[in-house]
Amino acid sequence: MIAAHLPALQIVLPLLSAPLCVLLVRARLAYALSLIVCWLAFAISIMLLGQVLDGGVISYRLGGWAPPWGIEYRVDLVNAYVLLIVAAIGALVITYAGPSVAREIGGGRETLFYTSYMLCLTGLLGVTITGDAFNIFVFLEISSLSSYILISLGTDRRALTASFRYLIFGTIGATFFLIGVGLIYQATGTLNLADMANRVEPLGASRTVQAAFAFMAVGLAVKAALFPLHSWLPNAYAYAPSVVSAFLAATATKVSIYVLIRTYFSVFGPEFSFEVMTLGPVLMVLSIAAMLIGSMIAIFQDDIKRSFAYSSVAQIGYMVLGIGFATVLGVTGGMLHLFNHALMKGALFLALGCLIWRTGSVSITAMQGLGKRMPWTMAAIVGGGLSLIGVPLTVGFISKWYLLLAAIDSGLWWVAVFILISSLMAIIYVWRLVEVAYLSPSPDGAPSGEAPLVMLIPTWVLVLANFYFGVDTRVSVGVATEAAKYLLGAGS
Amino acid sequence: MSAPDLILLAMAIPLIGAVLIVLAGKSPNLRETVTFATAISLFAVVVSLVSGVFHGERPAVSLIEILPGLDIRFEIEPLGMMFACIASGLWILNSAYSIGYMRAKKEHAQTRFYACFAIAIFGAIGVATAGNMMTLFIFYEVLTVSTYPLVAHHQDAEARRSGRVYLGILLGTSIGLQLVAIIWTWFATGTLDFREGGILNGHLEGPLLGLLLLLYVYGIGKAALMPLHRWLPAAMVAPTPVSALLHAVAVVKAGVFTVLKVIVYIFGAEFLRETGTGDWLMYIAGATVLLASFVAMTKDNLKARLAYSTVSQLSYVILGAALFMPLSVVGAGMHIAMHAVGKITLFFCAGAIYVASGKTEISDMKGIGRVMPVTLFAFFVGALSVIGLPPMGGSWSKYYLALGAYDAGELVFIGVLMVSSLLNVAYLLPVVGRGYFSRPAGDDGSEKPAIKEAPMFCLIPLCLTAFGCLAMFFYADQLYQFLRPIGGG
């Protein structure tokens, strides 16, 4: 009975818990509630993936209204996989949040944090699970509005301008998306994605469809922080509270990329997207620029959170590059990196949160001698960093393997060269941290001692996941390959 | 225990050792006991596999499928067997030497030192026993990353700078070139297994084959082929035991070993010989042999001179592989062993001189033979072996390399080998000559200097390896027979 309603529960549970957090008033109670709900959401996402693997696509009619008139929650391999990523990160980050939120946010605003966090999680899960274009917009706005709040909770006053900037960009992005949806609705008369896909095809390359495609693609590119529309991201990640940086870096852009994939492949179909609209070269050029410029800027940042934020811009380039190949190998690489990058950046930002908890700073000077002062935190940064570089036995290696293989498979050698250059730049921006932390002596009176276990354990769970999924790739590669085949097969 | 289990055991021992070393960090004596126990048990396990391999067995075991169709797989063939024996056997001696050296110099962070050492050996054994290129690459990188803390051991500005060069070149080339070569191979052939006769025949041809070879040999930065050799002299900032075992044996030999493996089991030496697309490699290797020897002559710092000597000697192995003849390939394999024993002796001696007298520059070592006669004699023996003079092991590998060059009709490389030997004489023997026959400035020879050797923990290992150079001369034929299958003959 309950099993049949899992798609609804996936959204309703976190949604309901958000106002409850406000009513609970006490931070501790709100934390406990969010903790339980997030882990439940994670459990549900696992069960959903299991159901999809067993029985194929799940179509859930919300309120019993049949699609295409009612809202349909549609879970296939692609979004079951993304749901799992979002929910898993959501659960790990909330577990970690207690002490970090108390120290960085505090002052009676903690319940506000938990409320926004749950809303944001709801929005991200909702975007992923829904099969309705307008519904995507609604959830996109839920997640965005709540993330503006989350970012503005940062201790640094620059968090406010960062949040405002994100608000402007996010609104433009969402509006563009909505315009695209409006145009396509005008042309097809439907908002249901599956139905839309059927009706778009006979329309061919009409101007309305092309305009709709362009609006949706650009709008989503803003939300996904694809270069050169990324400028909201670095400050937003740098000045947000640590928990928020970790959560958003690991999930928010991923969900936008998921919608991109959905739009390109499922709605418009690979033929229209990549042959009529020649999206391939556009995506490749932009993503390569993202990889090179993002990595380059990351090297010169003194603020480590900013450095990793720029690294995220580069890593988003990897994901989009994979999509740009529009081959099974390429899309597998992109989807894999979606998962793998969530693990890397989740681990790294959580480790930085431990650093802030102890020292109150993430400038590179605060890391002098950190190898001695916070050995476990620093080891976590090294572990995540190795994965970011793409050393074998880490997930980063697996992503790189597939992207390079896809480049060779498509005969695009020059793309392979850029992937490698960007990897080499990652060595630089990761290794300078290692040098400072292990080879420099600690300044006098520098705070030392580890962060609480509640924070360290989730961090290390993610770090170890980087290695575990770098060796045992059956789940990640298996699901990503199947999803890629499904996406590319759907259009033909 | 069956042979596959023994392989896994050999992989597990150094890892467990590393953990125990960290746990025993508070008590240095216990910690060093753990190192010894680990090294000895590893060697015992490795040696127990030798006779089976000699009789043609190829024990193999697959662990886990890391990517569809690609396992982490171990398989032992003669070349890897030999490399594993050298790395694990010399680790025992080097552990003794480390104790003498590290305690005498009162080095800091010794627990980290011993733990990283054990992990590096784990990497070397993994490289030696890897059953496909993917597995080899993984352990190659383990070796790179685990030796970084050893190179940067002193944590000062110079260590930092050298560490950058070290990691930059090794990680950069391996990810930037070798990984591409591996993925390309995988894409072209659908396998990365090491097979006799190679796997590329029929899948790639013409200039592309040469390009792939180029990606491999420069992607394997540890082979120190010029101009990507700079990391090796840079690595000399490390404590001498590291230079001795890792940067004369484990790391650099892992490099040339990988080159040999790639040429023999990925390309197939015969295939390359027939297509002629890899001929440029022997010229680069020959040039490296000579150029590095010339550079070595200009170095006054003993370790730097030895480092360039290593660069030169590594290219002997690459040259042997690049001649693509059965004899030269076997000669290259033998040279891995011969040079390992010779060069580790030289480094042991350099470190012993530094420990006992604090001297690092050759010009300061006048008369050192009167103070440290045993050490300098061992240096003499090691030098003879590296030069390739009988009755030392090094003479045989050079002999087979020269025969291989003759077979290949590349007589010029016999000349290269001979000139290089002369250059070796020119840069190694003056150290010995001055040490015995010169006097330091201000010493008129009126009083006999007191003998002051390094501690026993340093002295005994270097005597044993010097003896090893001699012993290898007499056991060279066994080694030749053992390695013959890799020549394909």
Side-chain angles (χ1 to χ4, degrees):
Chain A
M1 177 59 202
I2 286 189
H5 292 289
L6 285 178
L9 285 173
Q10 179 84 83
I11 305 304
V12 171
L13 274 181
L15 183 63
L16 285 182
S17 70
L20 278 179
C21 281
V22 182
L23 294 177
L24 285 173
V25 183
R26 302 266 298 271
R28 238 160 224 283
L29 292 175
Y31 171 64
L33 178 69
S34 320
L35 189 67
I36 295 167
V37 172
C38 282
W39 281 98
L40 277 178
F42 179 38
I44 293 173
S45 71
I46 295 177
M47 286 189 267
L48 278 177
L49 182 62
Q51 285 186 6
V52 173
L53 285 173
D54 288 342
V57 179
I58 304 171
S59 168
Y60 182 85
R61 300 167 178 193
L62 214 59
W65 297 89
W69 300 280
I71 290 173
E72 179 196 19
Y73 282 3
R74 195 178 169 87
V75 189
D76 57 23
L77 209 48
V78 186
N79 58 354
Y81 175 72
V82 180
L83 282 176
L84 182 73
I85 300 173
V86 173
I89 298 289
L92 281 172
V93 171
I94 198 75
T95 314
Y96 167 105
S100 178
V101 167
R103 182 159 294 192
E104 283 183 46
I105 298 173
R109 295 187 297 170
E110 287 160 82
T111 45
L112 193 58
F113 166 81
Y114 290 111
T115 309
S116 316
Y117 184 87
M118 295 315 289
L119 276 177
C120 191
L121 182 67
T122 310
L124 295 172
L125 292 171
V127 170
T128 314
I129 204 169
T130 188
D132 182 280
F134 188 74
N135 211 223
I136 289 184
F137 169 72
V138 172
F139 279 120
L140 209 55
E141 282 297 278
I142 293 180
S143 69
S144 302
L145 290 171
S146 49
S147 53
Y148 307 143
I149 302 173
L150 287 172
I151 291 167
S152 66
L153 287 172
T155 38
D156 196 309
R157 286 179 64 84
R158 281 173 287 186
L160 296 176
T161 48
S163 169
F164 186 68
R165 186 166 189 165
Y166 183 24
L167 175 93
I168 304 280
F169 270 92
T171 309
I172 293 175
T175 311
F176 267 50
F177 180 73
L178 187 62
I179 293 173
V181 171
L183 287 169
I184 205 89
Y185 182 58
Q186 180 209 359
T188 63
T190 184
L191 287 171
N192 182 289
L193 293 176
D195 195 30
M196 208 183 265
N198 292 332
R199 287 165 192 262
V200 161
E201 213 184 346
L203 291 177
S206 78
R207 192 155 297 171
T208 318
V209 176
Q210 285 181 333
F213 180 85
F215 271 110
M216 286 167 90
V218 173
L220 289 168
V222 176
K223 298 293 296 183
L226 175 60
F227 181 89
L229 305 172
H230 66 282
S231 64
W232 59 268
L233 184 143
N235 279 349
Y237 285 10
Y239 300 120
S242 325
V243 186
V244 178
S245 308
F247 180 62
L248 291 183
T251 58
T253 46
K254 312 286 176 299
V255 167
S256 307
I257 288 179
Y258 156 74
V259 185
L260 268 181
I261 295 177
R262 190 54 99 192
T263 318
Y264 296 160
F265 292 99
S266 298
V267 176
F268 290 98
E271 267 169 51
F272 178 80
S273 306
F274 289 91
E275 285 167 28
V276 179
M277 302 299 284
T278 57
L279 196 58
V282 178
L283 289 184
M284 273 186 210
V285 169
L286 292 182
S287 52
I288 286 171
M291 282 153 50
L292 297 183
I293 297 172
S295 304
M296 182 58 86
I297 300 178
I299 293 174
F300 295 104
Q301 298 300 316
D302 282 338
D303 181 317
I304 304 161
K305 267 174 100 177
R306 266 179 83 90
S307 175
F308 283 144
Y310 275 106
S311 148
S312 282
V313 172
Q315 304 286 325
I316 289 165
Y318 285 118
M319 295 169 220
V320 177
L321 179 69
I323 299 167
F325 287 122
T327 59
V328 171
L329 277 174
V331 176
T332 304
M335 296 281 293
L336 258 180
H337 202 53
L338 212 73
F339 177 75
N340 293 344
H341 182 247
L343 296 181
M344 305 171 195
K345 277 293 155 56
L348 284 170
F349 276 112
L350 287 186
L352 289 185
C354 295
L355 176 62
I356 295 187
W357 191 86
R358 175 58 67 195
T359 67
S361 163
V362 279
S363 75
I364 195 153
T365 45
M367 286 187 77
Q368 284 173 350
L370 198 70
K372 280 241 163 57
R373 289 186 283 136
M374 302 180 75
W376 287 98
T377 302
M378 194 52 218
I381 294 179
V382 174
L386 287 176
S387 188
L388 202 55
I389 294 171
V391 172
L393 300 183
T394 63
V395 291
F397 175 72
I398 306 292
S399 302
K400 217 144 279 176
W401 176 275
Y402 271 93
L403 288 173
L404 286 170
L405 198 57
I408 295 175
D409 176 52
S410 305
L412 298 167
W413 281 94
W414 56 278
V415 176
V417 173
F418 287 119
I419 297 175
L420 292 166
I421 293 177
S422 169
S423 306
L424 298 184
M425 294 204 272
I427 299 180
I428 301 176
Y429 64 72
V430 169
W431 219 261
R432 68 195 183 115
L433 306 182
V434 174
E435 270 188 4
V436 169
Y438 287 103
L439 303 186
S440 298
S442 295
D444 290 335
S448 79
E450 276 298 347
L453 277 182
V454 172
M455 294 170 72
L456 268 185
I457 290 173
T459 310
W460 270 91
V461 167
L462 277 174
V463 171
L464 293 178
N466 272 288
F467 288 88
Y468 179 79
F469 289 105
V471 177
D472 182 357
T473 58
R474 282 169 302 184
V475 177
S476 55
V477 170
V479 174
T481 311
E482 288 306 312
K485 281 183 189 157
Y486 172 81
L487 282 170
L488 287 160
S492 58
Chain B
M1 271 179 114
S2 67
D5 290 340
L6 285 173
I7 300 177
L8 294 181
L9 188 64
M11 298 308 303
I13 287 173
L15 264 195
I16 298 170
V19 173
L20 292 178
I21 286 168
V22 172
L23 292 179
K26 291 269 184 316
S27 153
N29 288 336
L30 180 61
R31 182 184 65 201
E32 269 75 298
T33 312
V34 172
T35 299
F36 265 119
T38 314
I40 291 170
S41 46
L42 176 64
F43 186 60
V45 171
V46 170
V47 166
S48 71
L49 288 163
V50 169
S51 83
V53 174
F54 186 66
H55 292 104
E57 282 173 33
R58 298 289 178 265
V61 55
S62 292
L63 263 192
I64 183 172
E65 192 175 56
I66 196 166
L67 287 166
L70 263 183
D71 291 348
I72 291 190
R73 177 182 163 79
F74 302 103
E75 180 176 346
I76 302 193
E77 43 70 60
L79 193 62
M81 190 71 251
M82 180 198 77
F83 180 42
C85 285
I86 297 170
S88 58
L90 290 179
W91 188 28
I92 303 176
L93 296 179
N94 195 72
S95 301
Y97 184 81
S98 299
I99 295 172
Y101 183 93
M102 297 299 276
R103 293 195 177 178
K105 300 305 291 184
K106 296 192 174 56
E107 292 280 355
H108 76 128
Q110 292 196 22
T111 303
R112 181 178 77 190
F113 173 87
Y114 286 107
C116 286
F117 225 110
I119 298 174
I121 297 295
F122 166 71
I125 298 292
V127 168
T129 56
N132 60 33
M133 197 58 210
M134 176 78 158
T135 312
L136 198 157
F137 181 68
I138 290 170
F139 285 97
Y140 181 96
E141 295 294 42
V142 168
L143 196 51
T144 307
V145 175
S146 63
T147 47
Y148 173 79
L150 297 170
V151 171
H153 186 82
H154 291 133
Q155 300 188 200
D156 51 15
E158 197 195 352
R160 186 185 292 228
R161 204 168 42 243
S162 300
R164 274 183 200 168
V165 174
Y166 184 78
L167 202 77
I169 293 185
L170 290 187
L171 212 52
T173 52
S174 64
I175 291 182
L177 304 172
Q178 192 186 152
L179 181 58
V180 185
I182 293 172
I183 293 180
W184 189 4
T185 310
W186 168 251
F187 178 73
T189 65
T191 179
L192 289 176
D193 289 348
F194 295 125
R195 293 205 194 122
E196 286 183 18
I199 55 176
L200 281 165
N201 198 344
H203 294 286
L204 268 187
E205 53 189 20
L208 285 182
L209 202 63
L211 181 65
L212 183 64
L213 184 65
L214 183 81
L215 285 176
Y216 268 118
V217 292
Y218 280 112
I220 302 165
K222 292 193 171 105
L225 197 63
M226 277 183 171
L228 291 178
H229 65 286
R230 291 280 317 160
W231 63 271
L232 186 56
M236 293 299 132
V237 294
T240 307
V242 176
S243 311
L245 184 58
L246 297 178
H247 299 119
V249 182
V251 173
V252 289
K253 293 304 181 318
V256 285
F257 169 79
T258 309
V259 171
L260 262 179
K261 276 278 227 193
V262 165
I263 288 180
V264 174
Y265 296 110
I266 298 282
F267 286 88
E270 206 182 330
F271 178 52
L272 278 173
R273 183 171 68 234
E274 282 162 8
T275 54
T277 45
D279 288 351
W280 51 270
L281 181 57
M282 57 184 151
Y283 296 104
I284 295 184
T288 304
V289 166
L290 294 181
L291 285 175
S293 296
F294 282 120
V295 178
M297 294 173 78
T298 67
K299 297 286 172 188
D300 190 36
N301 182 298
L302 182 55
K303 277 177 80 178
R305 185 174 289 193
L306 293 179
Y308 274 100
S309 160
T310 304
V311 172
S312 162
Q313 297 278 330
L314 290 174
S315 276
Y316 278 48
V317 180
I318 302 179
L319 177 62
L323 289 166
F324 309 131
M325 299 304 292
L327 272 179
S328 72
V329 168
V330 175
M334 289 172 77
H335 198 65
I336 290 182
M338 301 302 183
H339 176 250
V341 182
K343 195 46 81 55
I344 200 172
T345 310
L346 296 183
F347 271 109
F348 278 170
C349 295
I353 291 171
Y354 178 52
V355 166
S357 70
K359 287 174 182 159
T360 57
E361 307 303 308
I362 295 165
S363 50
D364 295 339
M365 291 180 190
K366 286 177 188 157
I368 198 81
R370 294 155 197 258
V371 188
M372 309 179 68
V374 180
T375 304
L376 201 66
F377 186 72
F379 189 94
F380 179 57
V381 171
L384 288 185
S385 186
V386 170
I387 295 164
L389 291 174
M392 301 301 157
S395 54
W396 283 116
S397 52
K398 263 191 189 172
Y399 171 72
Y400 282 110
L401 286 173
L403 279 185
Y406 178 78
D407 272 0
E410 302 283 351
L411 297 184
V412 60
F413 289 106
I414 298 182
V416 167
L417 291 172
M418 296 310 131
V419 171
S420 165
S421 289
L422 288 178
L423 292 172
N424 287 344
V425 170
Y427 66 74
L428 285 175
L429 290 188
V431 180
V432 182
R434 279 191 215 165
Y436 278 125
F437 304 119
S438 300
R439 292 200 185 92
D443 178 359
D444 55 5
S446 54
E447 52 189 302
K448 201 170 171 354
I451 289 184
K452 182 171 173 276
E453 288 279 4
M456 276 302 156
F457 270 119
C458 291
L459 199 59
I460 292 173
L462 66 88
C463 291
L464 289 175
T465 54
F467 180 73
C469 294
L470 184 66
M472 299 281 264
F473 181 77
F474 297 101
Y475 287 98
D477 190 52
Q478 275 87 336
L479 185 59
Y480 174 75
Q481 296 299 340
F482 187 73
L483 287 180
R484 225 175 49 174
I486 67 167

